[in-house]
């Protein structure tokens, strides 16, 4: 018999979602807009503690509109986290602007503040900074905000992975000029697909709604003065989101428990460390990750293969953006210098992000997994770890 698959992070539905969707069908509010969209916007804004939110078709669309609202154009420079999913960067290129990647720091795996300062020395006039809260762990927002304020450059927080995570008790996504959330299928809550742009600038959010619905001017006939997009969230999708939002805190609590269980199970194995938390924040632990000790003979790929043989899903760490064929031509700033300079000096620079990518792995973090599946998962680790690690692991179990 085929073993039941253990997923990385799959949707977890509760029932209320269907009620909101049914209401949309019953009232024939199936087409774009409608009460679910308005209510989801209000609910997210209230939850995050921010003035306004625009419900969109994807988190990527939210990033794109944030850039549009900041008037990012061809040739403009945008500083952006290097260790992230490509969706953070693609919208910069939609506008033919130039991303400059900022390396990670080991403390939180997020944007290195020293590298960010260095980037301002090299490229003094960026139009925006996009920082990511990777795997749900808040970045060093205090320092990042201070640097952005000093240079009077707006911050966009890509909080796609960190909805419900806080920093000094305040929700991630609410520190910068704009924040974005994603309700994609594997995120902490999902609407089957969708995103949200948030800001305290209510006018900007109103403009985002305008741009997301083909930028139709206030005229009886169809009149357009600027280029628009079809980025609005549908009322059916928003219904799923409303039902999910009721369970966000519960999802977070389980995700945090999963992280703790891994941490305890790996506690005595010096070769394995969990992804870092930010002591000033409260992560939503969207994905639990591990990193192998430097020089460890076991590789993340071996672990993934062994897990896959047990029908357990895992995933590599995001491959840094500066290593992506499509983004190779752009610069990446390390705390000590820039990749471009080091290359000119004939040096081969391994960034902090690249090191995390080489040694790290995302572990299954699906909140539907029961204690029993965790046991199975943890017991399967000795199958792939060196006997030296194995012995200590079994003793611990
Ligand atoms: C998922 C994700 C996005 C994109 O969100 P979509 O809703 O899938 O468009 C952007 N940035 C990061 C870091 C993500 O993980």
């Amino acid at each position: 018999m085929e073993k039941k698959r253990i997923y990385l992070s799959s949707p977890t539905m509760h029932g209320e979602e269907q009620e909101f969707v049914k209401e949309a069908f019953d009232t024939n509010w199936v087409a774009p807009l409608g009460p679910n969209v308005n209510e989801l916007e209000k609910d997210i804004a209230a939850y995050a503690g921010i003035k306004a939110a625009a419900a969109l078709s994807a988190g990527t669309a939210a990033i794109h509109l944030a850039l549009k609202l900041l008037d990012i154009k061809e040739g403009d420079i945008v500083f952006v986290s290097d260790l992230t999913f490509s969706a953070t960067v693609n919208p910069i290129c939609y506008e033919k602007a130039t991303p400059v990647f900022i390396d990670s720091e080991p403390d939180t795996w997020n944007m290195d503040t020293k590298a960010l300062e260095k980037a301002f020395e090299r490229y003094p006039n960026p139009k925006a900074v996009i920082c990511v809260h990777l795997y749900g762990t808040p970045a060093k927002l205090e320092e990042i905000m201070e640097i952005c304020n000093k240079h009077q450059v707006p911050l966009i927080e890509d909080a796609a992975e960190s909805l419900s995570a806080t920093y000094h008790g305040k929700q991630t996504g609410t520190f910068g000029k704009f924040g974005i959330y994603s309700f994609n299928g594997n995120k902490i809550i999902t609407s089957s697909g969708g995103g949200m742009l948030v800001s305290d600038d209510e006018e900007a959010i109103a403009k985002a709604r305008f741009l997301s619905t083909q930028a139709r001017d206030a005229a009886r006939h169809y009149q357009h003065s600027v280029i628009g997009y079809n980025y609005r969230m549908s009322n059916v999708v928003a219904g799923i989101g409303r039902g999910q939002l009721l369970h966000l805190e519960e999802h977070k609590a389980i995700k945090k428990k999963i992280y703790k269980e891994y941490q305890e199970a790996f506690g005595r194995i010096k070769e394995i460390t969990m992804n870092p938390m930010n002591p000033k924040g409260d992560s939503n632990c969207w994905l639990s990750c591990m990193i192998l000790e430097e020089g460890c003979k076991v590789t993340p790929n071996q672990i993934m293969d062994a897990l896959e043989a047990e029908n357990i899903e895992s995933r590599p760490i995001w491959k840094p953006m500066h290593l992506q064929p499509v983004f190779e031509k752009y610069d990446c700033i390390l705390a000590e210098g820039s990749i471009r300079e080091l290359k000119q000096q004939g040096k081969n620079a391994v960034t902090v992000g690249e090191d995390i990518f080489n040694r790290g792995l995302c572990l299954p973090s699906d909140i539907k997994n029961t204690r029993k599946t965790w046991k199975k998962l943890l017991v399967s680790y000795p199958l792939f770890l060196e006997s030296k690690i194995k012995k200590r692991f079994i003793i611990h179990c």
Side-chain angles (χ1 to χ4, degrees):
M1 201 186 87
E2 177 130 355
K3 286 178 194 151
K4 198 165 168 247
R5 187 157 174 81
I6 295 179
Y7 289 102
L8 187 87
S9 183
S10 70
T12 304
M13 294 292 139
H14 301 273
E16 286 98 331
E17 299 87 354
Q18 273 182 323
E19 288 167 31
F20 287 115
V21 170
K22 185 172 183 302
E23 200 179 292
F25 273 73
D26 290 348
T27 55
N28 204 29
W29 276 113
V30 170
L33 307 185
N36 282 337
V37 173
N38 300 336
E39 290 305 313
L40 184 64
E41 286 181 344
K42 272 193 227 154
D43 290 350
I44 285 281
Y47 176 83
I50 199 155
K51 281 193 184 147
L56 303 169
S57 55
T60 313
I63 298 172
H64 189 197
L65 290 187
L67 294 171
K68 292 296 296 181
L69 291 165
L70 293 172
D71 199 28
I72 306 291
K73 294 187 297 290
E74 184 162 1
D76 287 343
I77 283 175
V78 177
F79 295 163
V80 57
S81 299
D82 182 47
L83 188 59
T84 185
F85 179 45
S86 65
T88 313
V89 183
N90 284 333
I92 302 172
C93 297
Y94 299 164
E95 293 307 315
K96 297 186 166 59
T98 305
V100 169
F101 302 118
I102 312 293
D103 194 12
S104 288
E105 38 99 26
D107 298 6
T108 68
W109 291 7
N110 288 310
M111 186 177 271
D112 184 316
T113 52
K114 285 197 200 79
L116 180 60
E117 299 247 36
K118 189 125 254 162
F120 275 102
E121 286 167 25
R122 262 147 246 256
Y123 304 92
N125 293 308
K127 283 285 175 64
V129 175
I130 307 179
C131 92
V132 178
H133 305 296
L134 204 68
Y135 302 127
T137 296
K140 290 186 174 165
L141 278 164
E142 229 168 356
E143 290 89 335
I144 291 171
M145 283 300 293
E146 199 182 298
I147 297 167
C148 287
N149 289 340
K150 188 172 88 187
H151 295 276
Q152 298 186 320
V153 173
L155 175 70
I156 300 168
E157 286 177 79
D158 179 347
E161 301 177 358
S162 69
L163 179 63
S164 80
T166 60
Y167 181 83
H168 283 317
K170 190 169 141 70
Q171 290 288 324
T172 57
T174 64
F175 286 79
K177 170 76 188 173
F178 293 106
I180 77 99
Y181 301 119
S182 166
F183 310 118
N184 189 15
N186 65 13
K187 297 289 170 12
I188 190 156
I189 58 167
T190 180
S191 62
S192 78
M196 196 70 78
L197 177 69
V198 300
S199 178
D200 275 324
D201 185 341
E202 289 168 283
E203 225 170 277
I205 293 298
K207 193 164 174 206
R209 292 194 193 105
F210 165 77
L211 290 172
S212 72
T213 48
Q214 308 286 21
R216 199 178 153 196
D217 291 339
R220 186 167 209 182
H221 53 275
Y222 278 78
Q223 179 171 296
H224 307 273
S225 310
V226 293
I227 296 292
Y229 301 88
N230 187 0
Y231 277 171
R232 200 75 164 120
M233 184 184 277
S234 96
N235 200 49
V236 172
V237 161
I240 305 174
R242 282 179 81 189
Q244 285 272 287
L245 191 55
L246 300 172
H247 296 272
L248 176 55
E249 286 296 315
E250 175 190 326
H251 286 199
K252 179 184 180 184
I254 303 172
K255 291 269 189 192
K256 285 174 70 168
K257 189 160 162 273
I258 291 168
Y259 180 92
K260 264 221 172 82
E261 282 177 359
Y262 278 124
Q263 201 174 34
E264 277 164 22
F266 297 148
R268 292 208 203 151
I269 305 172
K270 78 166 183 17
E271 288 87 348
I272 298 176
T273 311
M274 295 295 290
N275 58 311
M277 298 285 107
N278 186 336
K280 291 182 179 170
D282 184 34
S283 174
N284 69 1
C285 296
W286 172 56
L287 291 186
S288 286
C289 308
M290 60 181 247
I291 184 161
L292 291 161
E293 190 186 41
E294 241 171 292
C296 184
K297 289 202 193 84
V298 180
T299 66
N301 279 338
Q302 283 173 312
I303 296 182
M304 269 187 286
D305 289 345
L307 288 173
E308 201 47 57
E310 296 286 310
N311 206 15
I312 298 171
E313 187 184 9
S314 60
R315 185 203 261 175
I317 298 293
W318 299 125
K319 185 173 179 176
M321 293 299 110
H322 81 275
L323 296 174
Q324 302 290 348
V326 68
F327 298 134
E328 243 170 24
K329 58 178 176 287
Y330 302 116
D331 205 2
C332 177
I333 309 292
L334 295 66
E336 312 81 50
S338 85
I339 291 262
R340 181 163 294 158
E341 266 169 34
L342 292 168
K343 272 190 181 154
Q344 277 164 0
Q345 294 164 20
K347 286 182 190 154
N348 185 18
V350 175
T351 63
V352 171
E354 194 172 350
D355 182 44
I356 296 167
F357 168 68
N358 287 337
R359 296 191 284 126
L361 182 68
C362 300
L363 298 164
S365 312
D366 197 296
I367 59 173
K368 287 181 297 313
N369 289 335
T370 59
R371 190 126 201 116
K372 227 160 132 197
T373 49
W374 290 119
K375 263 262 149 63
K376 175 181 147 190
L377 175 78
L378 294 170
V379 168
S380 68
Y381 275 81
L383 296 173
F384 51 78
L385 294 176
E386 277 183 292
S387 57
K388 205 175 71 174
I389 309 177
K390 183 162 123 187
K391 228 182 266 158
R392 265 176 295 134
F393 186 80
I394 288 171
I395 288 164
H396 180 69
C397 269

